[in-house]
Amino acid sequence: MEAASFPDWRRIGRTIGKKLRDGLNPHPVAPGPTQEERRAQRLRDGFKGFVYFDTFEEVEAWKFEDVDPVQQPNQPLLSRNSSNVYNEDGPKTKLILCHDYQGGYHDYESVRPDLLDSAMQLASITDAYNFDGWLINVEQDAPEAYRDWSQLLIEFILQLRLDIGAHKKVLWYDALTTDGDVYYQNGLTTLNRQYAEAADGLFTNYRWTDKKLAESKLLATGAGIPNENIFFGIDLWAQNTNMPGPPRVTYPSKGGGGTNTGFVGFPTLNVICKSLRKLKAMKTLSPDGFSTAAFAPAWTFEHFPTSRPSCASGRGPSVAQQVDESLWTGASLPEELFCDCHGRKPHHTAFYRDNPIVRFAQEYPTGSSSFFESTFKQAFWEKPQTNQVLPALSSQDPSPNLIPLSMQDWEEIHEGPMARVLYGKLNSNTQVADHITSLIVFTKMAGCWEEGEDQFVNCGAAGKTPRQVAKRLRLYKLDMPADGSLEATVEARNNTRLQCGFYVAYGNPDGQPLEYTDHAMPLPGLSPGSFISFPIQNSKQRLVEFGVFLEGGPDQSQPMALLDINSIVIKPLKAREVEALETTFTIRDIRLVKKVRGSQTDKRNAWRWTKKTELQGQLWPVGMPWSQTTGPFSSFTVHVGRSKVIAEAFCTECSLKPEEVEALDENVGVQVVGNLFGGGHVRSTLCLFHTADLVNAANGV
């Protein structure tokens, strides 16, 4: 006797629910740009270095010849040590950030049945633009014509992983089930496990619960899927109280997302809890914890005013900047956020300051195992005199740590006992053309003297220490060998008569106390140069920290500028050969070029770099970066008349700014200087241009 067959009521219920949602609660959609308008915008954005596709046809039609040099990052991906940084708090959870550019979905009719050919195309795009992998998001039910749709997608994922290589990743978003339906699972289930097994990781939907966490952990163990390969989603927008349509919900259902992202997201993913009261007691993360995917981190700049200052004085960062700082570091929120949540203040939660994202997100060592370089240039910078924030997306040097404490303790430093503090500020007031930034390290006394007190807290070290003990500010966490094969070189200036300089800390992952070695900067006037070099050598341990130290210091509350730091480089000793190789390379053929994409045009300065034929056999030092696009050069600067810098470029072309060239003499000599990785420069000969030609190029004529 055959078993009775019952209808799939879950599928029927989902279908009815979708129709009721769309029919009874329609959401008006503002008309967007036309396809032709979007295409024109895409071409314009391409000249700025941005790449995106609107249709599958555009992906299939892409060719490597279409790649614009300004779209290719020149910074090579050096091998990074896979271990966590030296951390007294123990291991933390992995974090990915998900930005949704458009939020639209395409019809399957435009997808060819043979997805395996598309995998090779996507792999080629990955190589051309040098990024880390793909997130596959299918949010439409499988077409009736494809009965084996889920198996086809699984084969596509496996082929894509094979084509992009082991060092890049493919993630699957938790939307489509193996039944071919869009049915968000909010965790690892039998309906998405096959996708998770095929990919390098699963990005879950945002409405997960404690029960879902427990079920996911059990299923992952049985399937042999590492917990860290499951990224539980957190929707930052869910904290808003003014969202149109059905409420957006993330974990926990009340107050989740937004400023609570760090608090409720990261700890919970590692230890399953039954109440928010338990969450408050969490201080460390489990080594075998789940990972986190934060959706829409630009929420801080889309929901809050970007032009209204956060301070009542009308100065300081914008409200959006302050909320962003709070989200990541736990800084205090402004009392008034001027958002459209109608005075309900959902973002001023009780927990956000103690639980910022950086407290729980896993850190990786800065730089690679053989090379580190920073001139402190950031992706965005503020132009002096205008307060205009400009992008420099190709220039993203490692950001130094600027304060010795957590943000909450730093904000309360004046309320505690008297303490000497070291802290830093990035300074871009030396702007000539594109941004030039240095790091200035300050010291001051902060806090309140207690009667009879003869000791004070030394911020940056544990407990109380005598007055004349060195104070430290850690700038970077590293993981590099200390076998004597590396050396550090710092360009800086000592602004005082105090004993200060740079320290390196050696340690091992076993958590033993760090071993410090100090290297003092010469006092003003005692050395004609502003460079200091020293070996990285410790017979038993690895280099794990680099920072600034100070001996003593005056007892004054006013800030004193100690060091002005222009660059920090750690490189192989053999890289000294790079400076000898300056004569190996030449920069030539400086010219004006015209780029045409559809109806869009862009005129630029362009040049070539070459390696002299007679020195082709000379090897580039092992462990030093070599770019696929700019070879030995980290960047180029374009000079006129040998002195004025009018542009900085990270490829062999750059657009000119009208305001930089309109005031030049009638005829000017243009020179391009190539800046070698790790130091050293190669200068081209002067090339004579008519200023009118440069002005026309800057204006796109």
Side-chain angles (χ1 to χ4, degrees):
M1 182 176 178
E2 294 183 357
S5 177
F6 294 95
D8 187 346
W9 293 109
R10 288 191 310 170
R11 179 174 294 187
I12 294 173
R14 291 198 301 272
T15 302
I16 295 174
K18 289 179 182 178
K19 291 186 179 297
L20 287 173
R21 178 197 64 194
D22 297 337
L24 299 178
N25 189 24
H27 308 305
V29 178
T34 65
Q35 184 175 357
E36 186 56 36
E37 289 172 337
R38 286 190 55 79
R39 181 177 181 275
Q41 183 63 50
R42 185 166 67 89
L43 294 175
R44 287 193 296 271
D45 290 342
F47 287 137
K48 301 175 184 178
F50 297 102
V51 181
Y52 52 89
F53 303 99
D54 281 331
T55 66
F56 288 110
E57 287 83 359
E58 291 174 355
V59 174
E60 292 175 342
W62 176 90
K63 302 183 298 296
F64 185 81
E65 293 74 19
D66 297 333
V67 178
D68 192 317
V70 301
Q71 298 169 345
Q72 292 183 286
N74 79 313
Q75 299 295 326
L77 296 178
L78 290 171
S79 298
R80 180 176 65 182
N81 193 301
S82 60
S83 65
N84 294 335
V85 297
Y86 178 89
N87 197 320
E88 301 84 351
D89 297 330
K92 302 183 178 185
T93 184
K94 287 185 177 179
L95 167 68
I96 61 172
L97 304 178
C98 181
H99 301 267
D100 189 355
Y101 165 69
Q102 182 181 5
Y105 307 108
H106 306 287
D107 294 333
Y108 283 120
E109 285 73 12
S110 64
V111 184
R112 294 181 180 177
D114 190 0
L115 284 176
L116 301 186
D117 290 341
S118 299
M120 179 60 74
Q121 184 78 330
L122 294 179
S124 299
I125 292 173
T126 308
D127 291 337
Y129 300 115
N130 202 18
F131 57 90
D132 295 332
W134 291 95
L135 170 64
I136 308 300
N137 177 16
V138 180
E139 293 198 57
Q140 285 188 342
D141 294 335
E144 294 293 336
Y146 300 132
R147 296 182 180 275
D148 58 348
W149 184 241
S150 61
Q151 186 58 39
L152 180 61
L153 285 173
I154 290 171
E155 293 175 2
F156 164 72
I157 295 169
L158 292 171
Q159 186 64 47
L160 180 57
R161 288 183 63 192
L162 180 65
D163 290 343
I164 65 175
H167 296 295
K168 299 182 179 182
K169 304 298 180 184
V170 176
L171 296 183
W172 175 264
Y173 179 64
D174 164 36
L176 191 74
T177 69
T178 49
D179 290 339
D181 298 326
V182 174
Y183 184 23
Y184 304 99
Q185 300 295 286
N186 300 294
L188 179 67
T189 73
T190 56
L191 292 178
N192 61 22
R193 186 188 70 186
Q194 289 179 278
Y195 295 128
E197 290 173 329
D200 294 294
L202 173 69
F203 179 161
T204 80
N205 195 47
Y206 313 107
R207 297 191 177 202
W208 45 273
T209 63
D210 293 331
K211 182 180 179 182
K212 283 288 187 182
L213 283 172
E215 293 173 349
S216 298
K217 188 171 184 179
L218 183 64
L219 185 58
T221 301
I225 299 175
N227 286 357
E228 67 176 7
N229 286 5
I230 305 175
F231 293 80
F232 279 85
I234 299 176
D235 182 3
L236 272 73
W237 284 91
Q239 195 178 60
N240 290 11
T241 60
N242 67 324
M243 298 298 294
R248 294 171 72 155
V249 179
T250 197
Y251 184 89
S253 57
K254 293 184 179 180
T259 55
N260 266 353
T261 297
F263 172 67
V264 299
F266 299 112
T268 313
L269 299 179
N270 294 275
V271 184
I272 298 172
C273 303
K274 295 182 180 179
S275 69
L276 286 176
R277 289 190 296 273
K278 283 190 177 182
L279 279 171
K280 193 172 181 179
M282 294 181 183
K283 300 298 181 185
T284 59
L285 303 176
S286 168
D288 58 350
F290 293 103
S291 297
T292 302
F295 174 73
W299 163 79
T300 52
F301 292 92
E302 294 176 347
H303 181 58
F304 301 96
T306 57
S307 58
R308 181 187 290 269
S310 58
C311 302
S313 63
R315 299 180 179 179
S318 68
V319 173
Q321 289 174 299
Q322 191 64 27
V323 177
D324 195 65
E325 180 80 6
S326 174
L327 174 72
W328 288 93
T329 69
S332 296
L333 288 170
E335 182 64 25
E336 179 57 62
L337 297 180
F338 301 100
C339 67
D340 50 5
C341 288
H342 309 301
R344 301 180 188 179
K345 293 196 172 182
H347 314 301
H348 290 83
T349 71
F351 317 110
Y352 77 89
R353 292 195 67 200
D354 291 324
N355 299 278
I357 290 177
V358 295
R359 182 177 179 187
F360 300 110
Q362 178 176 309
E363 294 179 89
Y364 288 98
T366 307
S368 73
S369 60
S370 60
F371 183 81
F372 169 86
E373 181 176 24
S374 180
T375 56
F376 311 107
K377 293 179 181 178
Q378 306 301 294
F380 294 89
W381 59 286
E382 186 174 300
K383 192 170 185 179
Q385 288 82 46
T386 67
N387 296 325
Q388 183 183 10
V389 177
L390 300 174
L393 298 182
S394 298
S395 176
Q396 302 184 45
D397 283 354
S399 296
N401 177 54
L402 298 178
I403 59 175
L405 306 165
S406 70
M407 180 59 71
Q408 182 175 0
D409 290 339
W410 179 250
E411 291 181 342
E412 298 172 354
I413 189 67
H414 294 283
E415 300 175 10
M418 185 61 69
R420 172 167 301 287
V421 293
L422 292 178
Y423 62 98
K425 289 185 178 181
L426 293 175
N427 172 47
S428 59
N429 289 333
T430 56
Q431 165 67 22
V432 177
D434 279 358
H435 67 308
I436 299 174
T437 308
S438 65
L439 171 63
I440 301 179
V441 178
F442 295 86
T443 184
K444 70 175 182 179
M445 298 295 295
C448 303
W449 286 106
E450 297 180 6
E451 186 175 353
E453 183 177 19
D454 58 1
Q455 292 183 331
F456 64 92
V457 179
N458 173 18
C459 292
K464 292 188 174 183
T465 56
R467 273 179 192 267
Q468 299 304 318
V469 173
K471 296 82 178 171
R472 305 185 186 278
L473 172 64
R474 183 190 69 240
L475 298 178
Y476 296 103
K477 292 183 179 181
L478 308 163
D479 186 6
M480 306 178 80
D483 56 5
S485 63
L486 304 176
E487 71 171 350
T489 301
V490 184
E491 181 184 4
R493 182 178 68 252
N494 186 347
N495 295 319
T496 73
R497 307 291 298 182
L498 299 176
Q499 187 76 5
C500 59
F502 302 92
Y503 79 85
V504 289
Y506 301 102
N508 284 317
D510 55 15
Q512 294 296 316
L514 299 182
E515 181 178 329
Y516 296 92
T517 302
D518 296 336
H519 301 275
M521 279 295 295
L523 298 179
L526 298 183
S527 173
S530 56
F531 288 88
I532 177 175
S533 297
F534 46 86
I536 304 300
Q537 191 161 12
N538 186 291
S539 59
K540 299 179 181 179
Q541 304 186 86
R542 294 178 66 83
L543 173 65
V544 296
E545 282 188 14
F546 189 98
V548 172
F549 81 92
L550 167 67
E551 290 278 2
D555 297 337
Q556 63 182 48
S557 59
Q558 293 299 316
M560 173 183 289
L562 292 175
L563 295 168
D564 196 336
I565 310 169
N566 294 322
S567 66
I568 300 173
V569 178
I570 303 175
K571 60 185 179 182
L573 282 169
K574 290 186 177 180
R576 292 177 179 174
E577 301 169 11
V578 172
E579 298 172 8
L581 291 175
E582 290 183 17
T583 57
T584 302
F585 304 98
T586 60
I587 297 175
R588 60 185 180 83
D589 195 15
I590 303 175
R591 63 201 186 281
L592 293 176
V593 297
K594 183 178 182 179
K595 298 285 184 176
V596 179
R597 290 181 179 273
S599 60
Q600 308 296 320
T601 61
D602 187 34
K603 274 196 172 182
R604 305 171 182 167
N605 254 140
W607 55 91
R608 304 181 195 277
W609 66 269
T610 58
K611 192 174 182 180
K612 291 183 179 178
T613 305
E614 65 271 17
L615 296 173
Q616 287 289 341
Q618 196 163 3
L619 297 178
W620 187 248
V622 175
M624 289 291 290
W626 181 274
S627 171
Q628 293 181 354
T629 57
T630 59
F633 299 103
S634 62
S635 64
F636 301 90
T637 50
V638 181
H639 300 246
V640 291
R642 292 185 180 273
S643 57
K644 182 178 180 179
V645 178
I646 60 171
E648 183 175 22
F650 298 86
C651 63
T652 54
E653 297 179 3
C654 72
S655 298
L656 300 175
K657 301 180 180 68
E659 64 271 17
E660 297 291 349
V661 296
E662 287 176 347
L664 298 176
D665 295 334
E666 181 177 354
N667 297 308
V668 293
V670 175
Q671 182 183 55
V672 176
V673 178
N675 306 305
L676 294 165
F677 285 110
H681 306 280
V682 175
R683 299 178 181 274
S684 73
T685 58
L686 282 175
C687 182
L688 191 65
F689 282 90
H690 294 293
T691 300
D693 293 335
L694 297 177
V695 172
N696 289 336
N699 288 291
V701 179

